[in-house]
Amino acid sequence: AEGTDARAAVAFGQIKKLGLVRSNTVLVHGVGFTADDMLNGAQAVRGLVWCPSSNRHLLGFTANVEMWQAAGGRVVLGNAS
């Protein structure tokens, strides 16, 4: 879910179907996460690596970490530049 297109919007669902969403899974970026992805993923995985400066520079916006945290998710700050 690194991008802003339809493919990014379904990325979380795809890895979930593959059985890759586990308590030791670490997600990166999350820009394309839907509200349902946020609510379902926040409790299911270890955390989200958030790279706001590179996301804003390349895509114009970033993941909704406030929603992620409100759903109980952990966030760590990353740098993808």
Side-chain angles (χ1 to χ4, degrees):
E2 187 173 347
T4 59
D5 59 7
R7 187 173 179 190
V10 297
F12 182 78
Q14 290 174 332
I15 66 168
K16 190 173 179 181
K17 284 181 188 175
L18 292 171
L20 301 173
V21 175
R22 300 180 183 159
S23 62
N24 65 344
T25 301
V26 176
L27 303 169
V28 181
H29 298 296
V31 177
F33 285 168
T34 65
D36 285 340
D37 295 342
M38 294 275 185
L39 295 173
N40 294 320
Q43 294 290 319
V45 302
R46 173 67 74 198
L48 173 67
V49 178
W50 182 46
C51 305
S53 59
S54 60
N55 293 159
R56 287 186 181 116
H57 176 72
L58 296 171
L59 303 170
F61 62 97
T62 191
N64 185 343
V65 294
E66 293 85 5
M67 181 184 292
W68 180 265
Q69 289 178 309
R74 296 181 187 117
V75 177
V76 295
L77 187 60
N79 184 348
S81 26

